[in-house]
Every structure is written in C-alpha cells, then in structure tokens.
Amino acid sequence: PEQTICNLNLRWECRNVTADARILEVGIGSGMIAMQLAPCCKTYSGRDISKIVLDKLDGMAKERKMNNLRFIIYRKNLILF
C-alpha cells in the first residue's frame, strides 16, 4: 500500500512538470524520484555525497537511455551545517 501511494504521488508530480523544466534533487539517494520524473522534464540533476550511489544511478540511466540525467557529487568538506 505505501509503495502504491508513493507511485501515485509521483505520477501526479510528473503531470505537473513541463517538458522544459530543469529539476535539481539534493540527496538523490536511491534515485526513485529521479527515475520517475526525468522522462517528464528537459534536465534532471541529482546531487549526493556517495560516488558509489551516483555511479549506480548513472548505470541505470544509461541502461534506460535516459540522456537528460546528470549526477553531481558533493564533496563532504563543502557541506556546511
């Protein structure tokens, strides 16, 4: 049930994204949102501190031929709290 609610919310969000939208997600994590919304927009950039996660997402994007996804690593020493 929780997964269904999440998918419905993402579909709703995608309907509200224009084809020329540029989205930045900070803390992209598993990429669940990126993989759902990227096909709806012009560019989707995801930032994260984990190079391993970003490399995995880059591979997923290439497999799915999602050429509008960009992944940017945060250097840990530049994150201020």
Side-chain angles (χ1 to χ4, degrees):
E2 187 173 314
Q3 182 68 25
T4 303
I5 292 169
C6 184
N7 286 338
L8 290 174
N9 287 338
L10 287 173
R11 281 191 220 122
W12 180 86
E13 291 295 331
C14 200
R15 284 195 306 254
N16 291 292
V17 173
T18 61
D20 62 342
R22 296 176 183 180
I23 298 173
L24 169 64
E25 182 179 355
V26 178
I28 195 167
S30 69
M32 181 181 72
I33 295 170
M35 295 299 160
Q36 294 288 322
L37 295 185
C40 307
C41 64
K42 184 174 183 175
T43 61
Y44 198 106
S45 299
R47 296 193 80 150
D48 206 288
I49 60 171
S50 173
K51 183 173 180 350
I52 295 169
V53 166
L54 295 178
D55 288 345
K56 181 179 176 183
L57 292 173
D58 189 50
M60 288 172 57
K62 287 177 180 167
E63 284 176 11
R64 298 176 187 194
K65 297 184 175 146
M66 300 171 88
N67 300 322
N68 65 332
L69 279 162
R70 303 288 177 261
F71 303 105
I72 307 150
I73 192 156
Y74 264 125
R75 291 189 304 186
K76 293 176 187 175
N77 60 337
L78 295 179
I79 301 173
L80 303 174
F81 292 94

